[in-house]
Amino acid sequence: MHLIINKTFTNRKNIVTHTSESGQQINVRKQTMKHLKSTYNQLTPDPDIRREDTQINSSKEMTAQLIQKRRQALKKPFQAFTNVANRMEQVRVKNGVIYINDAKAENVNATYFALQSIRKPVIWIAGGDDTQTDYWELMSLVRQKVEAIIMIGEDNDRLYQLFAPVINDIYEASSMVEAIRLAHQISESGTRVLFSPACKPDIRFLDYQERGRQFVKAVQKL
């Protein structure tokens, strides 16, 4: 096990003429209403234009609603722990520390919502075949919630180089067992240990199911 510690491193008025002649008052009101109607007609757009505007506004509202529903649908699976293997699966609670298996997170979007859904502090276990992974999208959440990172990829240079300036405690583990033992040693009650790789498995795992099984097995042996 190698310990890497970084050191270098946002009125309306009542229009009535009060005279003794009520007819004059009526005429004033009629003239006033006529004037108001004329003004209204001038200010009111052509019916076709109003219809077009209504259709545009309706379309915008529908689009906004669809976007909101989509966002809610994406977040819903991550709003709580699940009993689904490898997807925000709460494996165990030991000494107040919650171990979460999100081995199915083979891309940054999945890990983004995983981090977004849980409370800090988080010890994040990540890494794998990240040759096509852009970790930058996770930067804001990592800054907010992650207190330590445990890297388990075969080559962790990209992961380390990006987050070393913002996370002081970054560790490298040679196996899942070593990663879990390390997480256990540095965690405190209230910590979430999140295994959410953000990339595909490297050559040490056949698929995400296998790395998920290894995580669960290592946690259960604590």
Side-chain angles (χ1 to χ4, degrees), residues 84-89 101-105 208-209 212-213:
V84 179
N86 306 307
R87 171 52 75 218
M88 291 303 288
E89 173 192 9
N101 173 26
D102 195 39
K104 194 175 182 180
Y208 75 82
Q209 289 99 330
R213 285 192 295 269

Side-chain angles (χ1 to χ4, degrees), residues 30-113:
K30 286 182 177 179
Q31 290 172 5
T32 301
M33 292 304 294
K34 182 177 181 180
H35 172 71
L36 291 173
K37 184 176 181 180
S38 174
T39 303
Y40 173 80
N41 289 335
Q42 291 174 11
L43 294 175
T44 303
D46 180 86
D48 291 335
I49 296 177
R50 292 202 304 271
R51 191 179 303 111
E52 246 180 64
D53 289 342
T54 300
Q55 291 174 348
I56 292 173
N57 290 334
S58 177
S59 177
K60 288 181 178 178
E61 290 176 2
M62 288 179 65
T63 300
Q65 290 173 1
L66 287 173
I67 292 174
Q68 184 62 24
K69 287 181 179 179
R70 177 59 178 164
R71 287 175 177 173
Q72 292 174 351
L74 284 170
K75 293 180 181 179
K76 188 175 181 180
F78 304 95
Q79 289 175 346
F81 300 125
T82 72
N83 291 321
V84 179
N86 306 307
R87 171 52 75 218
M88 291 303 288
E89 173 192 9
Q90 180 174 319
V91 177
R92 186 180 183 185
V93 179
K94 183 177 177 60
N95 298 331
V97 178
I98 302 175
Y99 293 84
I100 307 161
N101 173 26
D102 195 39
K104 194 175 182 180
E106 296 187 296
N107 55 65
V108 169
N109 287 338
T111 297
Y112 181 94
F113 287 113

Side-chain angles (χ1 to χ4, degrees), residues 13-221:
K13 295 181 181 178
N14 182 17
I15 307 176
V16 176
T17 302
H18 295 283
T19 65
S20 58
E21 297 178 10
S22 60
Q24 186 177 356
Q25 294 178 12
I26 295 172
N27 289 336
V28 172
R29 287 195 181 94
K30 286 182 177 179
Q31 290 172 5
T32 301
M33 292 304 294
K34 182 177 181 180
H35 172 71
L36 291 173
K37 184 176 181 180
S38 174
T39 303
Y40 173 80
N41 289 335
Q42 291 174 11
L43 294 175
T44 303
D46 180 86
D48 291 335
I49 296 177
R50 292 202 304 271
R51 191 179 303 111
E52 246 180 64
D53 289 342
T54 300
Q55 291 174 348
I56 292 173
N57 290 334
S58 177
S59 177
K60 288 181 178 178
E61 290 176 2
M62 288 179 65
T63 300
Q65 290 173 1
L66 287 173
I67 292 174
Q68 184 62 24
K69 287 181 179 179
R70 177 59 178 164
R71 287 175 177 173
Q72 292 174 351
L74 284 170
K75 293 180 181 179
K76 188 175 181 180
F78 304 95
Q79 289 175 346
F81 300 125
T82 72
N83 291 321
V84 179
N86 306 307
R87 171 52 75 218
M88 291 303 288
E89 173 192 9
Q90 180 174 319
V91 177
R92 186 180 183 185
V93 179
K94 183 177 177 60
N95 298 331
V97 178
I98 302 175
Y99 293 84
I100 307 161
N101 173 26
D102 195 39
K104 194 175 182 180
E106 296 187 296
N107 55 65
V108 169
N109 287 338
T111 297
Y112 181 94
F113 287 113
L115 284 169
Q116 188 180 54
S117 71
I118 61 177
R119 292 183 298 174
K120 63 179 182 180
V122 176
I123 294 176
W124 178 34
I125 301 177
D129 182 0
D130 63 0
T131 54
Q132 297 181 347
T133 302
D134 183 3
Y135 293 113
W136 178 255
E137 297 178 36
L138 300 172
M139 180 60 76
S140 61
L141 282 171
V142 170
R143 283 174 174 268
Q144 295 170 30
K145 297 188 174 185
V146 175
E147 68 173 15
I149 297 176
I150 300 176
M151 307 179 297
I152 59 166
E154 187 177 26
D155 182 354
N156 300 301
D157 287 349
R158 298 176 73 246
L159 187 61
Y160 175 75
Q161 292 297 330
L162 180 62
F163 295 113
V166 297
I167 302 296
N168 288 326
D169 298 326
I170 299 182
Y171 307 85
E172 189 171 51
S174 59
S175 68
M176 187 66 74
V177 171
E178 185 178 1
I180 298 307
R181 286 177 180 171
L182 178 57
H184 176 62
Q185 291 172 9
I186 65 176
S187 62
E188 297 179 352
S189 179
T191 302
R192 273 74 174 157
V193 174
L194 174 66
F195 174 44
S196 186
C199 54
K200 294 183 178 299
D202 57 31
I203 59 175
R204 294 174 298 173
F205 305 101
L206 291 176
D207 48 33
Y208 75 82
Q209 289 99 330
E210 183 183 347
R211 67 183 178 187
R213 285 192 295 269
Q214 289 194 23
F215 175 83
V216 171
K217 185 177 180 179
V219 169
Q220 290 174 340
K221 285 185 175 181

